[in-house]
C-alpha cells in the first residue's frame, strides 16, 4: 500500500484572488488534486498546476450536489492514492465552512491535515466598503451567525442575545430569511431605524451594495434581486459607510455616543 | 502644494508572515513609508523596500507610546508629503484595530485611503490548533469581544448575552481580566467545566497553548506566565482540540449533541 498523501484545508477568501494568503497560493501551487466549492472563482483555481486533478463539489443553498459525507470520502480516496490534496473553500474553512467535519473524517482515516485560514466574507465586506466591524462608541464587539437553515427547519437563534445594539451582527447565508431575522430583532427591541448593509459577491467585479434599515431591509433586498452570496451587516457601524443615507446619519447623531469598553 | 499621497490600511495577520495576503505584500512592496504597530514582526517589516521610511507607533496594553490622535497626524503628514503610506496593523485593521478612526481622520484631511483586510488572531488560532470557530452541533455562531478596558475602567460587556453555550466566544486582549470574565460567565450560568483554549503568540515560533476549563482558566493562565498577546477561545468547539484533556471530552460526551441551525 502506498504512503497516504496529505490534505490541506485552505481558505480561498471572499472572492478577490489578491485576498488569498501567501500560504494558500503556495499550497495551491503544490496541489496534485484540488477539491473545490462553488464559490471559488476561476482566477483562484487557475493558480493550481495545469496537471492537477480538479474536483468540483459545489454546494448551493438548499442544493447539495455532493453530500458532505461523500466529500469526506473523495478527500480520503485522493489522499489514499498518495496525492497532495488541496480542499479549497470560500472564505475561512473554520468559519461556517464545515472544515472541522472534514478534518475529523481525515483524522479518523489516519490522513494528515493542515489548515490555512482565509479572509472571511465579513472582513472582505468591511475592507471593501470601509464599514468597520468594531468602532469605539458604535460597536465594542462582533457576532457572526448564519441565517441558513438545514432542511427548511425554522431558524433557531438566540434572539434576545442577538438584539444587542453595542455588537455588530453579521449574518452569513441570510438572503432567504432576512425578513424573519429583521422582524425578530425588532421584536426584541432593536430600533427599526438601525442601519443595515447588504453586500452581494463582495470583493468581486460583481459586487453590489445596499444600505437600508432594519424595517426595510427585507423589501429592499428582495427588490434588489441580488445574485451570488449576500452578507448582511447590522449595526451602528454601518453609519460610517461613505454614502450612508442622511436619515440614518441623523438618527445616529441624535443618539448619545457611548464610550465603548476597549481602548 | 504637492499632490497628497495615499494611505493603505493593511492587516498584517496574526504573526506568521505566510498569512499575509497577496494584496498586503504588494502594497508593502510599494510603500514609501510604513507606520507599524508593536505586534508586526520583523519578517513582515522586511517586505518593505529598503529605502522606505519606517515609523514605529507601537501600542501595548495600558501603554500608549504614541496616542491615537498623534498616529492620525503622522499618517496625514506623511501623505501630505506626497508619500505612499502603508499603515500596518496586526490582525485585521477593522476588527478591534481602530482602523476606522484613522480612516475618518484621513478622509477629513482629504487623503485617499484603501483598506486591505488581514487574517485576525481568532482565525490564526483556529487554523494552528484545529479548533474550529463554528461546528455543527457544538457552535452555530461566533462572537468576538475585547477583554481590555480603557483607563482601568470596569469591563462593560453584555454578560447575559455572552453566556450562550451555542456560540463560540473569542476574547481578544483578555489576559489581564480573564478571572473576572470567567467568573461573570459562570455567574450567568455557563458550565464551570466549559473548555477554554488560551493561545499566546499564535502562528509564531513563540506560540504557546493551554487547554483548561472556565473555572480554572484564570489560575492556569496566570501560572503559564504567557508573554505576547493571548487569545481565549471559550466554548464546546475546544473539545475538538487534538489533545483535549480526557475529563473535558467525557463532560462533552455526557451532553446530548444539539442539531445546529446551519447546514
Amino acid at each position: 500500500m502506498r504512503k497516504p498523501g496529505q490534505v490541506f484545508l485552505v481558505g480561498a477568501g471572499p472572492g478577490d484572488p489578491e485576498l488569498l494568503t501567501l500560504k494558500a497560493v503556495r499550497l495551491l501551487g503544490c496541489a496534485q488534486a484540488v477539491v473545490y466549492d462553488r464559490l471559488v472563482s476561476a482566477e483562484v483555481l487557475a493558480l493550481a498546476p495545469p496537471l492537477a486533478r480538479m474536483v468540483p463539489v459545489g454546494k448551493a443553498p438548499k442544493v447539495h450536489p455532493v453530500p458532505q459525507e461523500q466529500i469526506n470520502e473523495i478527500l480520503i480516496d485522493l489522499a489514499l492514492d498518495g496525492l497532495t490534496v488541496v480542499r479549497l473553500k470560500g472564505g475561512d474553512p473554520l468559519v461556517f465552512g464545515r472544515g472541522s467535519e472534514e478534518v475529523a473524517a481525515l483524522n479518523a482515516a489516519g490522513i494528515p491535515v493542515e489548515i490555512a485560514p482565509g479572509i472571511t466574507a465579513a472582513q472582505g465586506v468591511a475592507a471593501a466598503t470601509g464599514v468597520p466591524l468594531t468602532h469605539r462608541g458604535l460597536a465594542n464587539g462582533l457576532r457572526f451567525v448564519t441565517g441558513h437553515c438545514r432542511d427548511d427547519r425554522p431558524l433557531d437563534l438566540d434572539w434576545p442575545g442577538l438584539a444587542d445594539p453595542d455588537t455588530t451582527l453579521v449574518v452569513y447565508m441570510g438572503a432567504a430569511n432576512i425578513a424573519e431575522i429583521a422582524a425578530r430583532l425588532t421584536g426584541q427591541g432593536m430600533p427599526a431605524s438601525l442601519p443595515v448593509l447588504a453586500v452581494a459577491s463582495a470583493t468581486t467585479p460583481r459586487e453590489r451594495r445596499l444600505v437600508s434599515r432594519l424595517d426595510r431591509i427585507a423589501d429592499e433586498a428582495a427588490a434588489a434581486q441580488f445574485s451570488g452570496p449576500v452578507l448582511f451587516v447590522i449595526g451602528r457601524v454601518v453609519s460610517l459607510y461613505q454614502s450612508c443615507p442622511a436619515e440614518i446619519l441623523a438618527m445616529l447623531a441624535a443618539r448619545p455616543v457611548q464610550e465603548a469598553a476597549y481602548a
Side-chain angles (χ1 to χ4, degrees), chain A:
Chain A
M1 194 181 133
R2 300 176 70 152
K3 183 167 172 288
Q6 179 162 14
V7 175
F8 296 95
L9 200 59
V10 175
D16 178 357
E18 226 192 350
L19 297 182
L20 284 171
T21 66
L22 296 179
K23 184 169 186 171
V25 173
R26 171 174 63 84
L27 294 173
L28 257 176
C30 304
Q32 296 172 300
V34 178
V35 179
Y36 63 95
D37 283 344
R38 188 178 58 94
L39 292 179
V40 177
S41 70
E43 297 94 319
V44 172
L45 295 176
L47 296 169
L51 294 182
R53 199 184 311 178
M54 304 303 285
V55 184
V57 291
K59 285 187 281 195
K62 304 192 180 180
V63 183
H64 285 227
V66 183
Q68 184 63 53
E69 294 67 27
Q70 198 177 329
I71 295 174
N72 299 350
E73 289 300 319
I74 290 169
L75 295 173
I76 291 168
D77 289 348
L78 290 166
L80 290 179
D81 274 349
L83 300 180
T84 297
V85 182
V86 164
R87 170 70 174 116
L88 199 58
K89 290 170 172 287
D92 185 299
L94 299 180
V95 177
F96 304 126
R98 300 189 68 170
S100 45
E101 297 176 48
E102 297 173 9
V103 171
L106 290 160
N107 281 343
I111 293 160
V113 190
E114 188 175 328
I115 306 167
I119 299 291
T120 188
Q123 297 173 296
V125 162
T129 63
V131 169
L133 298 173
T134 63
H135 186 88
R136 294 220 296 182
L138 295 179
N140 58 19
L142 168 61
R143 188 162 185 172
F144 297 166
V145 298
T146 169
H148 172 58
C149 306
R150 280 196 295 166
D151 310 329
D152 295 316
R153 281 186 291 179
L155 276 175
D156 178 23
L157 293 171
D158 170 26
W159 300 110
L162 291 179
D164 170 11
D166 292 322
T167 294
T168 303
L169 178 62
V170 180
V171 182
Y172 284 70
M173 295 169 278
N177 293 312
I178 189 63
E180 179 184 354
I181 292 165
R184 293 272 209 158
L185 293 174
T186 46
Q188 292 288 340
M190 293 280 259
S193 58
L194 194 68
V196 180
L197 171 69
V199 182
S201 304
T203 80
T204 76
R206 298 167 300 288
E207 178 177 299
R208 288 180 60 205
R209 305 170 182 179
L210 167 67
V211 174
S212 181
R213 28 185 281 172
L214 209 45
D215 57 352
R216 296 184 196 152
I217 181 62
D219 288 345
E220 294 185 8
Q225 297 190 298
F226 290 126
S227 60
V230 183
L231 194 93
F232 295 91
V233 180
I234 303 172
R236 298 200 303 264
V237 289
V238 175
S239 66
L240 299 174
Y241 185 62
Q242 50 189 347
S243 55
C244 193
E247 58 169 340
I248 287 178
L249 294 177
M251 180 274 295
L252 286 154
R255 185 183 181 287
V257 172
Q258 285 195 346
E259 292 290 329
Y262 65 97

